[in-house]
């Protein structure tokens, strides 16, 4: 989470972050209601930089669509 929460390029577009504790090996990341990463579905931890890259790609798509 630190790698995403401390990213200034991403931070400028984020209104709020919600970290919700879970049990059972569940670690999920949603962006605008869309599940973009699920440890449980993939049966693995995120690679270093993976979630940041997914979020950046989604933001790039949103910015492209809004211009």
């Amino acid at each position: 989470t630190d790698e995403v929460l401390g990213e200034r390029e991403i931070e400028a577009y984020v209104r709020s972050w919600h970290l919700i504790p879970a049990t059972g090996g569940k670690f999920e990341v949603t962006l605008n209601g869309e599940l973009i990463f699920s440890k449980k579905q993939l049966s693995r931890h995120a690679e270093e930089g993976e979630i940041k890259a997914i979020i950046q790609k989604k933001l790039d798509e949103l910015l492209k669509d809004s211009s």
Side-chain angles (χ1 to χ4, degrees), residues 31-53:
L31 179 65
N32 293 335
E34 176 186 352
L35 182 64
I36 61 170
F37 182 87
S38 172
K39 175 186 164 205
K40 194 161 189 160
Q41 285 181 356
L42 295 172
S43 299
R44 64 174 180 83
H45 291 279
E47 300 289 331
E48 185 175 333
E50 182 177 8
I51 293 172
K52 177 183 169 187

Side-chain angles (χ1 to χ4, degrees), residues 1-7:
T1 58
D2 289 342
E3 110 182 8
V4 175
L5 294 175
E7 180 59 51

Side-chain angles (χ1 to χ4, degrees), residues 46-63:
E47 300 289 331
E48 185 175 333
E50 182 177 8
I51 293 172
K52 177 183 169 187
I54 295 168
I55 291 171
Q56 189 63 58
K57 181 180 176 194
K58 292 291 183 182
L59 287 174
D60 291 345
E61 291 170 5
L62 288 170
L63 292 172

Side-chain angles (χ1 to χ4, degrees), residues 8-39:
R8 294 287 181 208
E9 291 176 23
I10 293 173
E11 183 181 358
Y13 298 99
V14 176
R15 187 176 339 163
S16 65
W17 296 97
H18 300 279
L19 300 176
I20 304 168
T23 59
K26 188 175 179 182
F27 176 77
E28 295 181 334
V29 179
T30 58
L31 179 65
N32 293 335
E34 176 186 352
L35 182 64
I36 61 170
F37 182 87
S38 172
K39 175 186 164 205

